[in-house]
Amino acid sequence: MTPTASDAAVPEVQTATPDDQPAKIDEARRGTDWWGEIKGIFWLLLVVLGFHSFIAKPFYIPSESMLPGMLVGDRLVVTKFAYGWSFVSPTIPNPAAIFRSAVLRQPGEGWTVGLPFTAGRILGRVPTRGDVVIVTPPGTRNDYIKRVVGLPGDTLEVRGGVLILNGKPVPRGPMRYVDLPVDANSPCTDYPGAVRLVGGSQVCHLPVVTETLPNGRRYDTVDLEPNSTGDNFGPIRIPANHVFLMGDNRDRSADSRFGLDDQGLGGPVPYENIGGRAEFITFSLDGTTSLNPISWFTSLRGGRAGTSLHAEETK
C-alpha cells in the first residue's frame, strides 16, 4: 500500500515568537565586552610583571664590558630569586618614559620606575664569587652586568692589572688570543690593529688571560693595555653586605673601580642593588635586523643559544 501525502511526517518548523526578538536584538547590540577585555589584559599584564619581577627576566647586552664571554647583541635569562628579593626586584613600568623613548626617540631614560633604597633582602644571600650579576648602581635606574670578584670582609686591590684578594694575587694563566667575529654589533673599532682576516671573514683578534678565583671558579678576561686607568686600584676593605664587581673586559669596563661620575659603580655595591644572576644566553643578534622578516633569521649568530654564563669550576 502506497503512503499518501497525508501519511508522511511533516518536519516541525520553529519560528521566533515576538517574545524572542528583544533578547536577540539586545545580544546583537551588546557586541564586544570591552570591560571584560580590559580586565583580561590587566590580569595578563600583572602575571607577566610578577614573573618578570620575582622569577626571571630577559636582559640585553648593550656594551663590550664583558668580552670575551658576552657579546653586544646577546640576549640572556636573569633569575631574580637567586639572592632573594630587594627594592630593585619589582618591575614597575613607567608609561611616560616608554612613550618618550619609543615614540619621541629620547635616549638615556629607563622604562621603569625605581623604588627608594630599602635595606635588606627577603630570603637574601650574598652572591658567590665568580657569579655574573645584574646590578643597579646607587641612585640610578640603569642595569649593568658585571662579575662578582670581591665579597664582604675581603681586602681587594689591583696592581698592574692583576687582581689581589686578601694579599694574594689571583692566579692568571698565560696570555693567548681569541678571534671574535666582526659584525654590525661587534665592529672591533675600539681595538686598533685587532681586525684580522681568517678564512675569508673578518675577526677581532684579542688577547685573553684566564683568571682563577680562590673558590676555583675561572673565566677569561681581555687584557689589552698595560697601566690603563683601572689597572691600579685600592687597597680597600669591602664592607659587610657589599660586593665588588668588575667587567671581564678589564680595560673597557666601568665597574666598582670607578666613581658614579665616571659611569662606574662607585666602589663596592650594597647587595640590595643586585637585581639577579645571569644564567644562559637565549639567542644573539649581529645587528643586521631590519623590517624585512628574512633578516630576523639571517641576523642570528650561530652557536650562542644555550651558552651557560656560570664560571667554570676547576676540578
Side-chain angles (χ1 to χ4, degrees), residues 80 83-90 115-122 124-127 133-140 143 152 239-243 245 268-276:
K80 303 296 281 291
Y83 313 119
W85 298 273
S86 72
F87 77 100
V88 300
S89 298
L115 298 178
F117 177 85
T118 304
R121 301 184 74 99
I122 299 173
R125 69 178 182 88
V126 175
V133 301
I134 304 302
V135 58
T136 303
T140 76
D143 285 338
N241 294 329
H242 285 63
V243 291
L245 307 175
V269 178
Y271 90 140
E272 290 90 347
N273 291 70
I274 302 297

Side-chain angles (χ1 to χ4, degrees), residues 202-218:
Q202 287 187 329
V203 298
C204 197
H205 192 65
L206 297 178
V208 167
V209 172
T210 300
E211 195 169 79
T212 304
L213 295 172
N215 61 354
R217 304 183 79 184
R218 64 186 181 187

